[in-house]
Each structure stands twice: as C-alpha cells, then as structure tokens.
Amino acid sequence: MNVRDSEALAAILIGKGYTPVEHEEEADLLVFNTCSVREQAERKAIGKIGYMKKLKKLNPGLIIGCIGCMAQNRGEELFHLLPHLDFVLGTNQLHKLPEAVEKIVRERSSYQALSEDPHEVLAAMKGHLPGGIFGSIAITRGCNRFCSYCIVPYVRGREVSRDAADIIAEAESMVASGCREILLLGQNVAAYGLNGDVRPPADDCSPFAELLEKLCRIDGLQRIRFTSPYISYFSERLISVLASEPKICHCYHLPVQSGSNRILQLMNRQYTAESYLEKVNRIRSLIPDCTFTTDVIVGFPGETEEDFQQTRDLLNEVGFDHSFIFKYSPRSGTKAAEMPDQIPAEVKEERNAILLADLEKRVAEKLKNMPGTLQEVLVEGVSKRNSARWSGKTGNARTVVFEPDGGELCPGMLLNVRITQANPVSLFGKIER
Ligand code: SAH
Ligand code: SF4
C-alpha cells in the first residue's frame, strides 16, 4: 500500500513540475513514506531519516518530510527526535504534499497535518507513473477490523471504498498506457463496497466480486490480483467469480496469523483453524490449480508450545507456497500490547526459526516439481540482471527468465515457457510457441 501511495504522490509531484532524481544526494526534496505495523519498521525509518542530517549540511535548502503511518502515529514527537525534519503528514493528508512543500519553501517553518477524514485522499491518489506492465490500484483505505495486535485501524483510520466507476476509469487509463496486470489493494480488500460493516457478507453477496467482474471486461488487461483479503469475506459468490474469470490469477494471499483457536480469539480474528481450512478446501475444490500464501505471527501474548504447534501443523497442512512470518511486536494503544504473558524475545526467535525452516523445506519440495512444467508468462522486458535474457511473471507471481527465440517478443505479451531450472528467486525456461 505504501509503494502504491508513493507512486501516486510521485505522479502528483511530477504533474506540478518536479523532476525525480536517481540518488538522494541530488535531491532538493526527500519524502519518507513510513510504516508502523511493527516497531522495527519505525526504527528503520527513524534511523534512515536521521542519517539524512548530513545531506542537509551539504545542501541547506534540502526539504525533508516524513509521511504515512509513523507520521500519523508519532506526530509532533518526530520533530523532537529528528530536528532536521521539515514536515510531517499523516495518512489522510498525503495528497497535501505539494502544499506542505510550498509552505515550507515560503515560510521556512515546520509543518504538520494529521487528519481523520479519508475522503479527499481517496479521491486524490489516482496518478500512475507511465510505462509499467504491472500496476496497482488502492480500492479501499483504512480498516475497521481491529485485530487486537494491529495498529493499522488507528493510523489509517476507518475503512472507506472507492466508487467502482472511478476504479474502472483508473484501470482503463492504465491499460491504455501499456499496463497488463493490475494488483488491487486494500487492508481488507474483499470487504470492498460493504460500507465498513464488519460482518462478513452472506454467501450470495460480494460487491468485491462485482467489481472484479467489471474489471475483467477491460480489453487488453490480462491479469488481476488482489491483496490482502480476509478469509471470512470469501463468500460463495466471490469464490465462484474467482473460479470462472480466467483473468483473475489463481494465487491467493490469505493471512492466517495463527493455527490455535484460543490465540485466534485473543487476536480478535473472526474464524477458527477449522473454518479457515474449510474455506481453503472449498476454494481448492473449485480451482484445483490454485496456490496460497499467508501471514503468520509467532509469540503473540500467551502463545504456548501447544498453540505454536497448532500453527505449525496448519501451515504444513495447507502447504502454503510462501508465508510471511512475523515476530509479534507490541504496538502501543492496541489491546494485545496490554495483555499478560508477553512472550520473551528468545522464544519468538526460536519459533520464527522453526517456521522458516519448515517453509524452506516446503518451497524446496515445490521447486523440485517445477522443471518440465509449461508456464504462461506475462512478459515484462529485458532481464535486469542479464541483458541477453528477458523476464516475465507466471500467474502465481514467480519470475521467469528466458532467452529470446527470434520470434515476436514484446513487453505485455503472454507466452508459454517450458521450465528447465528453478530456484527460490527465479525460474528459468525456454519459450514454446
Ligand atoms: N490487512 C492485512 C494485514 C496488514 S498488516 C490483513 O489483515 O490481512 C500485514 C501483516 O503484518 C499482518 O497480516 C500480520 O501478520 C503482521 N502484523 C500486524 N501487526 C503486527 C504486530 N503487531 N506484530 C507482528 N506482526 C504484525
Ligand atoms: Fe490489521 Fe486486522 Fe485490519 Fe489487517 S484486518 S489491517 S491485521 S486490523
């Protein structure tokens, strides 16, 4: 979401006549778009912005801003921590970036804006940088779910959805300028269009599915993905659209967080390990070639060895293609930060290492089966690592590298590639026409 927000802001600034530069040393304006999900993310951002002090010594006119979730979360405090900071803009003020910069240039005083109203920012963040085969669109902002460990609802505010017509127009204009694959973004993307109601929809209801169907009708758009959905919102209506629309990629990122029902309840997640598995199996029964990825937290307050074992078992049972494993990080203001039985760092570390080892084993197994398979690849262009080769992506987002075969080859086309070699980062193969 931050990458997408940064792109929209870059487009706004370019529209106002600013020019992007390659290296931070050359810039007159540096903007840090920050994350607060874990303490580590905030620590990194503060470290990096702190380091910029030396650039300000070399270029006293340099303007430095901090925007996004940490800006919203820490506000005024950031000016004390980072005295060389010129401005702070919260999550719903991002689109005011040009105004903030102009004010600093005029008045040379620090500037801070933090607000709760998401509607303006929702309407303003539409621009894209030209030339990409892969693009993304934020279809919702904010979150209403209040999982007990999570800071997002506090820093990004209440959930709002964009108008379908607006999203379609944005997608059409991206496709007109060469984009072939769109990633739809939202904290709880499948809750799109439910007006912030936290009750998962009935089985015959899914405004998100309706939006997907409309996007699938756009000529020239080859692939659609989305992240992150919340499993309880996978109604039958949504699953049937995922199964019947060939443009929607068959890989789903379904954050599970834990395999222990006791912990899931403490996390305020609205499903059990059993109901999660049931949905996964339902999706698999209709879309047999689909793959799943997930997010999981180890060391949530009170997590026992037995709870952890249940998480491990669930991850192995689903057989995720990839999992993002997070060590629980207490976020001030959230319920879980106040819970008893906080888990010591060494235990989190140990559980993290166990899940990582399981993941590596699983990934290695899956990669063994890749050579010999035929993959449909969306061609991106000449490979960044080796200009004699080209690269593209499979439907489940793996990078494929291949050599030109003398036939027609251009960014944005779909090609069949026979896989010859596989490693965790890329697949290698030969074009088959
Ligand atoms: N809205 C998405 C998640 C956004 S945050 C969803 O619910 O699916 C991305 C991931 O960060 C979460 O899925 C969770 O696994 C992790 N996360 C969030 N808060 C965390 C915390 N306090 N400590 C550790 N990991 C956390
Ligand atoms: Fe955080 Fe839960 Fe909302 Fe995801 S659904 S952003 S984990 S509160």
Side-chain angles (χ1 to χ4, degrees):
M1 188 66 94
N2 275 7
V3 172
R4 168 63 201 129
D5 281 348
S6 298
E7 185 198 16
L9 289 174
I12 292 177
L13 288 178
I14 291 169
K16 298 252 174 206
Y18 291 75
T19 313
V21 290
E22 201 60 35
H23 304 288
E24 53 210 23
E25 293 79 12
E26 304 158 45
D28 296 312
L29 168 65
L30 284 172
V31 185
F32 293 86
N33 194 2
T34 56
C35 173
S36 284
V37 165
R38 281 162 295 137
E39 197 195 340
Q40 168 86 338
E42 289 202 0
R43 226 184 295 130
K44 267 193 198 163
I46 290 173
K48 177 84 186 175
I49 302 171
Y51 189 67
M52 294 299 119
K53 198 171 176 177
K54 70 175 185 30
L55 291 188
K56 210 157 181 168
K57 283 214 180 95
L58 298 174
N59 174 7
L62 174 63
I63 295 173
I64 302 179
C66 174
I67 65 171
C69 292
M70 183 179 75
Q72 182 76 34
N73 192 28
R74 311 275 284 256
E76 186 69 33
E77 184 198 345
L78 291 172
F79 291 118
H80 301 297
L81 276 174
L82 303 159
H84 56 294
L85 197 60
D86 295 292
F87 67 92
V88 166
L89 283 183
T91 44
N92 288 327
Q93 294 288 340
L94 297 182
H95 59 298
K96 302 256 174 80
L97 178 59
E99 267 170 68
V101 177
E102 280 154 28
K103 195 164 182 318
I104 304 275
V105 171
R106 256 194 337 265
E107 299 170 16
R108 247 358 285 185
S109 64
S110 61
Y111 179 92
Q112 175 180 334
L114 307 171
S115 131
E116 282 304 308
D117 180 15
H119 289 95
E120 266 185 43
V121 73
L122 195 65
M125 303 279 280
K126 285 181 190 163
H128 289 264
L129 298 177
I133 298 294
F134 304 99
S136 51
I137 302 182
I139 64 166
T140 71
R141 297 188 82 85
C143 183
N144 285 3
R145 293 225 51 100
F146 287 93
C147 302
S148 64
Y149 50 82
C150 185
I151 201 169
V152 170
Y154 302 93
V155 290
R156 283 200 170 253
R158 294 292 63 72
E159 180 184 285
V160 279
S161 296
R162 285 177 55 193
D163 269 354
D166 219 32
I167 297 168
I168 310 283
E170 185 172 331
E172 282 172 345
S173 102
M174 289 162 76
V175 172
S177 52
C179 177
R180 293 291 170 264
E181 176 177 313
I182 292 181
L183 171 68
L184 303 175
L185 295 169
Q187 296 302 335
N188 179 1
V189 77
Y192 172 80
L194 293 172
N195 301 319
D197 190 342
V198 288
R199 285 168 307 181
D203 255 331
D204 58 353
C205 168
S206 177
F208 179 55
E210 281 155 35
L211 176 70
L212 285 171
E213 282 180 322
K214 288 184 191 141
L215 288 166
C216 288
R217 303 284 87 79
I218 297 177
D219 279 341
L221 179 59
Q222 310 269 31
R223 284 179 179 168
I224 300 172
R225 304 176 192 281
F226 52 87
T227 199
S228 285
Y230 191 103
I231 195 149
S232 324
Y233 294 74
F234 273 65
S235 61
E236 278 297 306
R237 167 89 174 99
L238 176 56
I239 299 174
S240 79
V241 169
L242 301 183
S244 60
E245 290 288 355
K247 288 187 181 179
I248 306 173
C249 292
H250 288 181
C251 60
Y252 312 111
H253 183 62
L254 280 178
V256 66
Q257 315 300 359
S258 171
S260 151
N261 290 340
R262 198 178 68 81
I263 296 292
L264 285 170
Q265 199 170 15
L266 286 172
M267 286 177 162
N268 192 28
R269 299 288 287 187
Q270 217 173 28
Y271 51 85
T272 59
E274 293 76 21
S275 67
Y276 182 96
L277 259 180
E278 216 173 277
K279 276 282 192 232
V280 162
N281 290 335
R282 175 72 187 144
I283 299 168
R284 271 192 177 140
S285 72
L286 293 176
I287 312 169
D289 66 348
C290 74
T291 57
F292 295 98
T293 58
T294 199
D295 291 348
V296 58
I297 297 177
V298 293
F300 183 84
E303 184 187 68
T304 62
E305 270 306 317
E306 195 189 334
D307 294 317
F308 172 67
Q309 197 53 48
Q310 289 172 355
T311 299
R312 198 175 170 195
D313 292 346
L314 182 65
L315 295 186
N316 286 328
E317 180 161 358
V318 177
F320 290 104
D321 252 36
H322 188 68
S323 33
F324 296 92
I325 305 157
F326 300 104
K327 288 172 271 183
Y328 169 69
S329 165
R331 309 309 292 130
S332 130
T334 61
K335 281 215 172 107
E338 306 304 319
M339 287 181 186
D341 302 325
Q342 296 283 329
I343 304 293
E346 337 55 279
V347 177
K348 289 182 194 168
E349 203 56 66
E350 200 180 295
R351 292 179 182 169
N352 183 58
I354 293 173
L355 293 191
L356 271 178
D358 284 355
L359 173 66
E360 267 173 34
K361 221 165 93 192
R362 239 180 7 246
V363 169
E365 274 305 308
K366 284 181 192 270
L367 288 178
K368 259 202 244 158
N369 299 326
M370 294 300 295
T373 61
L374 194 64
Q375 301 286 332
E376 186 188 63
V377 172
L378 179 58
V379 177
E380 187 171 16
V382 173
S383 161
K384 286 179 194 108
R385 294 208 182 148
N386 179 344
S387 59
R389 290 168 165 175
W390 281 56
S391 74
K393 286 222 159 76
T394 66
N396 61 2
R398 288 192 191 278
T399 299
V400 181
V401 179
F402 51 90
E403 276 170 20
D405 63 351
E408 191 203 346
L409 192 56
C410 62
M413 73 191 285
L414 286 170
L415 271 182
N416 285 325
V417 175
R418 181 76 60 186
I419 302 305
T420 51
Q421 254 187 55
N423 71 42
V425 183
S426 341
L427 306 172
F428 297 84
K430 264 191 136 111
I431 299 174
E432 237 176 69
R433 304 219 189 220

Short mmCIF file of all heavy atoms in Angstrom, two decimals, residues 35-39 142-143 145 147-152 186-189 227-231 253-257 267 269 271 294-298 300 324-331 334 336 348, ligand 1:
data_model
loop_
_atom_site.label_atom_id
_atom_site.label_comp_id
_atom_site.label_asym_id
_atom_site.label_seq_id
_atom_site.Cartn_x
_atom_site.Cartn_y
_atom_site.Cartn_z
N CYS A 35 5.92 3.11 7.66
CA CYS A 35 5.04 2.03 8.11
C CYS A 35 5.15 1.93 9.64
O CYS A 35 6.20 2.21 10.20
CB CYS A 35 5.53 0.73 7.47
SG CYS A 35 4.72 -0.75 8.05
N SER A 36 4.06 1.51 10.29
CA SER A 36 4.07 1.37 11.75
C SER A 36 3.72 -0.03 12.21
O SER A 36 3.56 -0.25 13.41
CB SER A 36 3.04 2.32 12.38
OG SER A 36 3.51 3.62 12.37
N VAL A 37 3.54 -0.95 11.28
CA VAL A 37 2.99 -2.26 11.64
C VAL A 37 3.81 -2.94 12.72
O VAL A 37 3.27 -3.51 13.65
CB VAL A 37 2.82 -3.15 10.39
CG1 VAL A 37 2.60 -4.60 10.76
CG2 VAL A 37 1.64 -2.67 9.58
N ARG A 38 5.14 -2.86 12.59
CA ARG A 38 5.99 -3.40 13.64
C ARG A 38 6.98 -2.32 14.08
O ARG A 38 7.27 -1.40 13.32
CB ARG A 38 6.73 -4.65 13.15
CG ARG A 38 5.83 -5.86 13.16
CD ARG A 38 6.35 -6.98 12.31
NE ARG A 38 6.36 -6.58 10.93
CZ ARG A 38 7.35 -6.84 10.09
NH1 ARG A 38 8.42 -7.48 10.48
NH2 ARG A 38 7.27 -6.44 8.84
N GLU A 39 7.48 -2.48 15.31
CA GLU A 39 8.39 -1.47 15.85
C GLU A 39 9.62 -1.32 14.96
O GLU A 39 10.13 -0.23 14.74
CB GLU A 39 8.80 -1.86 17.26
CG GLU A 39 9.38 -0.71 18.04
CD GLU A 39 10.10 -1.16 19.28
OE1 GLU A 39 9.84 -2.30 19.74
OE2 GLU A 39 10.93 -0.38 19.77
N GLY A 142 -7.88 2.27 4.87
CA GLY A 142 -8.25 2.10 6.28
C GLY A 142 -8.73 0.70 6.59
O GLY A 142 -8.77 -0.18 5.72
N CYS A 143 -9.08 0.47 7.86
CA CYS A 143 -9.53 -0.85 8.28
C CYS A 143 -10.43 -0.72 9.50
O CYS A 143 -10.14 0.07 10.40
CB CYS A 143 -8.34 -1.75 8.60
SG CYS A 143 -8.86 -3.42 9.04
N ARG A 145 -11.39 -3.62 11.27
CA ARG A 145 -11.46 -4.93 11.92
C ARG A 145 -10.86 -4.97 13.33
O ARG A 145 -11.21 -5.81 14.13
CB ARG A 145 -10.78 -5.99 11.04
CG ARG A 145 -11.54 -6.24 9.74
CD ARG A 145 -11.66 -7.72 9.49
NE ARG A 145 -12.18 -8.40 10.65
CZ ARG A 145 -13.46 -8.77 10.81
NH1 ARG A 145 -14.32 -8.55 9.87
NH2 ARG A 145 -13.84 -9.39 11.90
N CYS A 147 -8.04 -6.11 14.72
CA CYS A 147 -7.35 -7.29 15.26
C CYS A 147 -6.53 -6.77 16.44
O CYS A 147 -5.96 -5.68 16.36
CB CYS A 147 -6.45 -7.90 14.19
SG CYS A 147 -7.39 -8.36 12.73
N SER A 148 -6.48 -7.54 17.54
CA SER A 148 -6.01 -6.94 18.80
C SER A 148 -4.53 -6.54 18.78
O SER A 148 -4.09 -5.75 19.60
CB SER A 148 -6.27 -7.90 19.96
OG SER A 148 -5.50 -9.06 19.77
N TYR A 149 -3.75 -7.10 17.83
CA TYR A 149 -2.31 -6.78 17.78
C TYR A 149 -2.01 -5.61 16.85
O TYR A 149 -0.88 -5.12 16.82
CB TYR A 149 -1.54 -8.01 17.24
CG TYR A 149 -2.13 -8.56 15.96
CD1 TYR A 149 -1.83 -7.99 14.74
CD2 TYR A 149 -3.04 -9.62 15.99
CE1 TYR A 149 -2.41 -8.46 13.57
CE2 TYR A 149 -3.62 -10.10 14.83
CZ TYR A 149 -3.31 -9.50 13.62
OH TYR A 149 -3.90 -9.95 12.47
N CYS A 150 -3.00 -5.13 16.09
CA CYS A 150 -2.69 -4.35 14.90
C CYS A 150 -2.94 -2.85 15.05
O CYS A 150 -3.99 -2.42 15.53
CB CYS A 150 -3.51 -4.89 13.73
SG CYS A 150 -3.11 -4.08 12.18
N ILE A 151 -2.00 -2.07 14.58
CA ILE A 151 -2.07 -0.62 14.72
C ILE A 151 -2.77 0.03 13.52
O ILE A 151 -3.16 1.21 13.58
CB ILE A 151 -0.63 -0.06 14.90
CG1 ILE A 151 -0.67 1.33 15.54
CG2 ILE A 151 0.15 -0.04 13.59
CD1 ILE A 151 0.69 1.83 15.99
N VAL A 152 -2.96 -0.74 12.45
CA VAL A 152 -3.48 -0.15 11.19
C VAL A 152 -4.79 0.64 11.38
O VAL A 152 -4.90 1.76 10.90
CB VAL A 152 -3.60 -1.24 10.09
CG1 VAL A 152 -4.36 -0.72 8.88
CG2 VAL A 152 -2.21 -1.70 9.66
N GLY A 186 -5.99 -3.27 -0.62
CA GLY A 186 -6.80 -2.81 0.50
C GLY A 186 -6.39 -3.59 1.72
O GLY A 186 -5.87 -4.70 1.60
N GLN A 187 -6.58 -3.03 2.91
CA GLN A 187 -6.23 -3.77 4.14
C GLN A 187 -7.11 -4.99 4.29
O GLN A 187 -6.71 -6.00 4.86
CB GLN A 187 -6.37 -2.87 5.37
CG GLN A 187 -5.42 -1.70 5.39
CD GLN A 187 -3.98 -2.13 5.31
OE1 GLN A 187 -3.63 -3.25 5.68
NE2 GLN A 187 -3.13 -1.25 4.84
N ASN A 188 -8.34 -4.87 3.81
CA ASN A 188 -9.29 -5.98 3.87
C ASN A 188 -10.04 -5.89 2.55
O ASN A 188 -11.19 -5.45 2.48
CB ASN A 188 -10.17 -5.75 5.10
CG ASN A 188 -11.22 -6.83 5.27
OD1 ASN A 188 -11.29 -7.77 4.48
ND2 ASN A 188 -12.04 -6.69 6.28
N VAL A 189 -9.35 -6.27 1.50
CA VAL A 189 -9.74 -5.91 0.14
C VAL A 189 -11.09 -6.53 -0.26
O VAL A 189 -11.89 -5.93 -0.98
CB VAL A 189 -8.61 -6.24 -0.85
CG1 VAL A 189 -8.51 -7.71 -1.16
CG2 VAL A 189 -8.69 -5.45 -2.11
N THR A 227 -4.74 -8.06 -2.87
CA THR A 227 -4.15 -8.33 -1.55
C THR A 227 -4.49 -7.18 -0.60
O THR A 227 -4.61 -6.05 -1.06
CB THR A 227 -2.63 -8.52 -1.67
OG1 THR A 227 -2.14 -9.18 -0.52
CG2 THR A 227 -1.87 -7.23 -1.84
N SER A 228 -4.71 -7.45 0.73
CA SER A 228 -4.88 -8.75 1.35
C SER A 228 -6.36 -8.98 1.62
O SER A 228 -6.98 -8.09 2.19
CB SER A 228 -4.21 -8.76 2.71
OG SER A 228 -2.85 -8.84 2.67
N PRO A 229 -6.87 -10.12 1.29
CA PRO A 229 -8.25 -10.39 1.67
C PRO A 229 -8.30 -11.05 3.05
O PRO A 229 -7.29 -11.58 3.51
CB PRO A 229 -8.70 -11.37 0.60
CG PRO A 229 -7.46 -12.13 0.27
CD PRO A 229 -6.28 -11.22 0.52
N TYR A 230 -9.44 -11.01 3.68
CA TYR A 230 -9.66 -11.65 4.99
C TYR A 230 -10.56 -12.83 4.69
O TYR A 230 -11.59 -12.68 4.02
CB TYR A 230 -10.35 -10.61 5.88
CG TYR A 230 -10.45 -10.94 7.34
CD1 TYR A 230 -9.59 -10.33 8.24
CD2 TYR A 230 -11.43 -11.79 7.82
CE1 TYR A 230 -9.72 -10.58 9.60
CE2 TYR A 230 -11.55 -12.05 9.18
CZ TYR A 230 -10.69 -11.44 10.06
OH TYR A 230 -10.80 -11.68 11.41
N ILE A 231 -10.19 -14.01 5.16
CA ILE A 231 -10.84 -15.23 4.65
C ILE A 231 -12.35 -15.26 4.84
O ILE A 231 -13.08 -15.78 4.00
CB ILE A 231 -10.17 -16.50 5.24
CG1 ILE A 231 -10.61 -17.71 4.43
CG2 ILE A 231 -10.47 -16.64 6.72
CD1 ILE A 231 -9.61 -18.80 4.34
N HIS A 253 -3.43 -14.59 -1.36
CA HIS A 253 -2.71 -14.33 -0.12
C HIS A 253 -3.76 -14.26 0.99
O HIS A 253 -4.57 -13.34 1.03
CB HIS A 253 -1.96 -13.00 -0.22
CG HIS A 253 -1.16 -12.71 1.00
ND1 HIS A 253 -0.13 -13.54 1.42
CD2 HIS A 253 -1.24 -11.72 1.92
CE1 HIS A 253 0.39 -13.05 2.53
NE2 HIS A 253 -0.27 -11.96 2.87
N LEU A 254 -3.76 -15.28 1.85
CA LEU A 254 -4.82 -15.38 2.87
C LEU A 254 -4.20 -15.40 4.27
O LEU A 254 -3.90 -16.48 4.80
CB LEU A 254 -5.60 -16.67 2.66
CG LEU A 254 -6.66 -16.65 1.58
CD1 LEU A 254 -7.32 -18.01 1.46
CD2 LEU A 254 -7.71 -15.60 1.91
N PRO A 255 -3.97 -14.23 4.87
CA PRO A 255 -3.32 -14.21 6.18
C PRO A 255 -4.07 -15.06 7.21
O PRO A 255 -5.27 -14.89 7.38
CB PRO A 255 -3.36 -12.72 6.56
CG PRO A 255 -3.38 -12.02 5.24
CD PRO A 255 -4.24 -12.88 4.37
N VAL A 256 -3.34 -15.98 7.85
CA VAL A 256 -3.98 -16.88 8.82
C VAL A 256 -3.66 -16.45 10.25
O VAL A 256 -4.44 -16.63 11.15
CB VAL A 256 -3.60 -18.36 8.55
CG1 VAL A 256 -2.12 -18.62 8.78
CG2 VAL A 256 -4.43 -19.30 9.40
N GLN A 257 -2.48 -15.90 10.45
CA GLN A 257 -1.97 -15.36 11.74
C GLN A 257 -1.66 -16.43 12.78
O GLN A 257 -0.63 -16.35 13.44
CB GLN A 257 -2.91 -14.30 12.35
CG GLN A 257 -3.45 -13.26 11.39
CD GLN A 257 -2.39 -12.40 10.69
OE1 GLN A 257 -1.20 -12.56 10.94
NE2 GLN A 257 -2.80 -11.51 9.81
N MET A 267 -6.76 -12.75 19.33
CA MET A 267 -6.36 -11.81 18.27
C MET A 267 -7.56 -11.06 17.70
O MET A 267 -7.40 -10.16 16.88
CB MET A 267 -5.69 -12.57 17.12
CG MET A 267 -4.29 -13.05 17.40
SD MET A 267 -3.71 -13.99 15.96
CE MET A 267 -1.93 -13.97 16.27
N ARG A 269 -9.59 -12.40 15.60
CA ARG A 269 -9.79 -12.83 14.21
C ARG A 269 -11.11 -13.60 14.20
O ARG A 269 -11.40 -14.37 15.12
CB ARG A 269 -8.65 -13.73 13.73
CG ARG A 269 -7.28 -13.06 13.73
CD ARG A 269 -7.08 -12.03 12.67
NE ARG A 269 -6.93 -12.56 11.33
CZ ARG A 269 -6.61 -11.79 10.27
NH1 ARG A 269 -6.42 -10.48 10.41
NH2 ARG A 269 -6.50 -12.32 9.07
N TYR A 271 -12.43 -16.18 12.69
CA TYR A 271 -12.54 -17.53 12.13
C TYR A 271 -11.79 -18.47 13.04
O TYR A 271 -11.05 -18.04 13.94
CB TYR A 271 -11.93 -17.59 10.71
CG TYR A 271 -10.54 -17.02 10.62
CD1 TYR A 271 -9.42 -17.79 10.91
CD2 TYR A 271 -10.34 -15.69 10.28
CE1 TYR A 271 -8.14 -17.26 10.86
CE2 TYR A 271 -9.06 -15.14 10.23
CZ TYR A 271 -7.97 -15.94 10.52
OH TYR A 271 -6.71 -15.40 10.48
N THR A 294 0.54 -16.79 2.88
CA THR A 294 -0.09 -16.33 4.12
C THR A 294 0.83 -15.43 4.96
O THR A 294 2.02 -15.30 4.66
CB THR A 294 -0.55 -17.55 4.96
OG1 THR A 294 -1.52 -17.11 5.91
CG2 THR A 294 0.60 -18.21 5.71
N ASP A 295 0.24 -14.80 5.97
CA ASP A 295 0.98 -14.09 7.02
C ASP A 295 0.73 -14.85 8.33
O ASP A 295 -0.39 -15.29 8.58
CB ASP A 295 0.42 -12.68 7.26
CG ASP A 295 0.65 -11.72 6.13
OD1 ASP A 295 1.45 -12.03 5.22
OD2 ASP A 295 0.02 -10.64 6.15
N VAL A 296 1.78 -14.94 9.15
CA VAL A 296 1.60 -15.61 10.44
C VAL A 296 2.42 -14.86 11.50
O VAL A 296 3.47 -14.30 11.19
CB VAL A 296 1.97 -17.11 10.31
CG1 VAL A 296 3.37 -17.31 9.82
CG2 VAL A 296 1.77 -17.84 11.61
N ILE A 297 1.87 -14.81 12.71
CA ILE A 297 2.57 -14.13 13.81
C ILE A 297 2.99 -15.17 14.84
O ILE A 297 2.17 -15.99 15.25
CB ILE A 297 1.64 -13.09 14.48
CG1 ILE A 297 1.26 -12.00 13.48
CG2 ILE A 297 2.30 -12.49 15.72
CD1 ILE A 297 0.28 -10.95 14.01
N VAL A 298 4.27 -15.15 15.23
CA VAL A 298 4.70 -16.03 16.33
C VAL A 298 4.92 -15.18 17.58
O VAL A 298 5.30 -14.02 17.50
CB VAL A 298 5.99 -16.82 16.01
CG1 VAL A 298 5.75 -17.84 14.91
CG2 VAL A 298 7.15 -15.90 15.66
N PHE A 300 2.62 -14.30 19.94
CA PHE A 300 1.52 -13.45 20.42
C PHE A 300 1.38 -13.71 21.92
O PHE A 300 1.63 -14.83 22.38
CB PHE A 300 0.22 -13.84 19.67
CG PHE A 300 -0.95 -12.98 20.02
CD1 PHE A 300 -1.15 -11.76 19.40
CD2 PHE A 300 -1.85 -13.39 21.01
CE1 PHE A 300 -2.22 -10.95 19.75
CE2 PHE A 300 -2.93 -12.58 21.36
CZ PHE A 300 -3.12 -11.36 20.72
N PHE A 324 4.78 -15.20 5.10
CA PHE A 324 5.49 -14.09 5.72
C PHE A 324 5.34 -14.32 7.22
O PHE A 324 4.23 -14.28 7.75
CB PHE A 324 4.90 -12.75 5.30
CG PHE A 324 5.05 -12.50 3.82
CD1 PHE A 324 4.05 -12.86 2.94
CD2 PHE A 324 6.21 -11.92 3.32
CE1 PHE A 324 4.19 -12.67 1.57
CE2 PHE A 324 6.37 -11.73 1.95
CZ PHE A 324 5.36 -12.09 1.08
N ILE A 325 6.47 -14.56 7.89
CA ILE A 325 6.43 -14.91 9.31
C ILE A 325 6.87 -13.69 10.12
O ILE A 325 7.95 -13.16 9.88
CB ILE A 325 7.36 -16.11 9.59
CG1 ILE A 325 6.97 -17.28 8.68
CG2 ILE A 325 7.31 -16.53 11.05
CD1 ILE A 325 8.10 -18.27 8.45
N PHE A 326 6.02 -13.25 11.04
CA PHE A 326 6.34 -12.06 11.84
C PHE A 326 6.46 -12.43 13.31
O PHE A 326 5.64 -13.18 13.83
CB PHE A 326 5.23 -11.01 11.70
CG PHE A 326 5.02 -10.55 10.27
CD1 PHE A 326 3.93 -11.00 9.54
CD2 PHE A 326 5.92 -9.69 9.67
CE1 PHE A 326 3.73 -10.59 8.22
CE2 PHE A 326 5.73 -9.28 8.35
CZ PHE A 326 4.64 -9.72 7.64
N LYS A 327 7.48 -11.85 13.97
CA LYS A 327 7.56 -11.98 15.42
C LYS A 327 6.65 -10.91 16.01
O LYS A 327 6.75 -9.74 15.60
CB LYS A 327 9.00 -11.76 15.90
CG LYS A 327 9.90 -12.93 15.54
CD LYS A 327 11.35 -12.64 15.83
CE LYS A 327 11.99 -11.99 14.62
NZ LYS A 327 13.40 -11.72 14.72
N TYR A 328 5.77 -11.30 16.93
CA TYR A 328 4.82 -10.34 17.48
C TYR A 328 5.56 -9.12 18.03
O TYR A 328 6.52 -9.24 18.79
CB TYR A 328 3.97 -10.99 18.58
CG TYR A 328 3.18 -9.97 19.34
CD1 TYR A 328 2.12 -9.30 18.74
CD2 TYR A 328 3.53 -9.62 20.64
CE1 TYR A 328 1.42 -8.31 19.41
CE2 TYR A 328 2.83 -8.64 21.33
CZ TYR A 328 1.78 -7.99 20.70
OH TYR A 328 1.11 -7.00 21.36
N SER A 329 5.07 -7.94 17.64
CA SER A 329 5.68 -6.69 18.09
C SER A 329 4.59 -5.86 18.79
O SER A 329 3.59 -5.50 18.16
CB SER A 329 6.21 -5.97 16.85
OG SER A 329 6.50 -4.62 17.11
N PRO A 330 4.73 -5.61 20.10
CA PRO A 330 3.67 -4.88 20.80
C PRO A 330 3.56 -3.46 20.27
O PRO A 330 4.56 -2.75 20.16
CB PRO A 330 4.14 -4.86 22.27
CG PRO A 330 5.35 -5.74 22.34
CD PRO A 330 5.87 -5.94 20.96
N ARG A 331 2.35 -3.04 19.90
CA ARG A 331 2.13 -1.69 19.39
C ARG A 331 1.30 -0.93 20.40
O ARG A 331 0.18 -1.34 20.74
CB ARG A 331 1.40 -1.72 18.03
CG ARG A 331 2.00 -2.62 16.98
CD ARG A 331 3.50 -2.41 16.75
NE ARG A 331 3.84 -1.14 16.14
CZ ARG A 331 4.77 -0.30 16.61
NH1 ARG A 331 5.42 -0.59 17.73
NH2 ARG A 331 5.03 0.82 15.98
N THR A 334 -2.77 -0.68 21.25
CA THR A 334 -3.57 -1.84 20.84
C THR A 334 -3.85 -2.72 22.07
O THR A 334 -3.12 -2.67 23.05
CB THR A 334 -2.82 -2.71 19.80
OG1 THR A 334 -1.61 -3.19 20.39
CG2 THR A 334 -2.47 -1.91 18.55
N ALA A 336 -3.60 -6.00 22.47
CA ALA A 336 -2.65 -7.07 22.76
C ALA A 336 -1.43 -6.57 23.52
O ALA A 336 -0.81 -7.31 24.29
CB ALA A 336 -2.23 -7.76 21.46
N LYS A 348 10.28 -16.10 20.72
CA LYS A 348 9.78 -15.65 19.41
C LYS A 348 10.78 -16.02 18.33
O LYS A 348 10.42 -16.53 17.27
CB LYS A 348 9.60 -14.12 19.40
CG LYS A 348 8.45 -13.62 20.23
CD LYS A 348 8.36 -12.09 20.10
CE LYS A 348 7.46 -11.52 21.17
NZ LYS A 348 7.54 -10.07 21.28
N1 SAH B 1 -4.75 -6.14 6.48
C1 SAH B 1 -3.92 -7.27 6.32
C2 SAH B 1 -2.64 -7.18 7.09
C3 SAH B 1 -1.89 -5.90 7.11
S1 SAH B 1 -0.52 -5.91 8.19
C4 SAH B 1 -4.70 -8.49 6.78
O1 SAH B 1 -5.37 -8.46 7.78
O2 SAH B 1 -4.57 -9.46 6.13
C5 SAH B 1 0.46 -7.21 7.49
C6 SAH B 1 0.79 -8.30 8.45
O3 SAH B 1 1.60 -7.79 9.48
C7 SAH B 1 -0.38 -8.94 9.19
O4 SAH B 1 -1.05 -9.89 8.42
C8 SAH B 1 0.28 -9.53 10.40
O5 SAH B 1 0.71 -10.85 10.15
C9 SAH B 1 1.50 -8.62 10.60
N2 SAH B 1 1.34 -7.79 11.80
C10 SAH B 1 0.41 -6.83 12.01
N3 SAH B 1 0.58 -6.30 13.24
C11 SAH B 1 1.64 -6.95 13.80
C12 SAH B 1 2.30 -6.86 15.06
N4 SAH B 1 1.90 -6.02 16.00
N5 SAH B 1 3.37 -7.67 15.28
C13 SAH B 1 3.78 -8.54 14.33
N6 SAH B 1 3.19 -8.67 13.14
C14 SAH B 1 2.13 -7.88 12.87
#
